[in-house]
Amino acid sequence: TDSDLIDKAGGTRVVAELCKVTDGAVSQWRENGIPDARRMFLELALPDVFKKKPVKKEQRDEPGPPA
């Protein structure tokens, strides 16, 4: 959840300082979600916290070389 990500990033105050917003704004993000522009910034600023999970590709038979 966004609240978990904020905690992993160091908490409300740390995220607020990074984003140049109030603690109250970040507290609202815990309930309403991190705004898209702020999320993009945080993904760049804290890549280890905001790692994207790899998407698993379906295994399919690849055609072999032509005979």
Side-chain angles (χ1 to χ4, degrees):
T1 67
D2 284 349
S3 186
D4 293 333
L5 290 172
I6 292 167
D7 288 338
K8 288 179 186 173
T12 300
R13 173 148 303 173
V14 170
V15 172
E17 289 175 0
L18 274 171
C19 293
K20 308 284 189 221
V21 298
T22 64
D23 292 0
V26 176
S27 292
Q28 289 179 356
W29 299 352
R30 290 179 179 275
E31 296 294 322
N32 303 325
I34 299 170
D36 290 341
R38 300 294 187 182
R39 178 181 295 279
M40 286 187 272
F41 170 77
L42 290 168
E43 286 174 356
L44 292 172
L46 304 168
D48 291 341
V49 173
F50 287 80
K51 285 182 198 170
K52 300 205 176 191
K53 294 180 181 177
V55 177
K56 293 182 181 179
K57 292 183 180 179
E58 291 182 14
Q59 290 182 349
R60 49 186 137 134
D61 293 328
E62 295 287 330

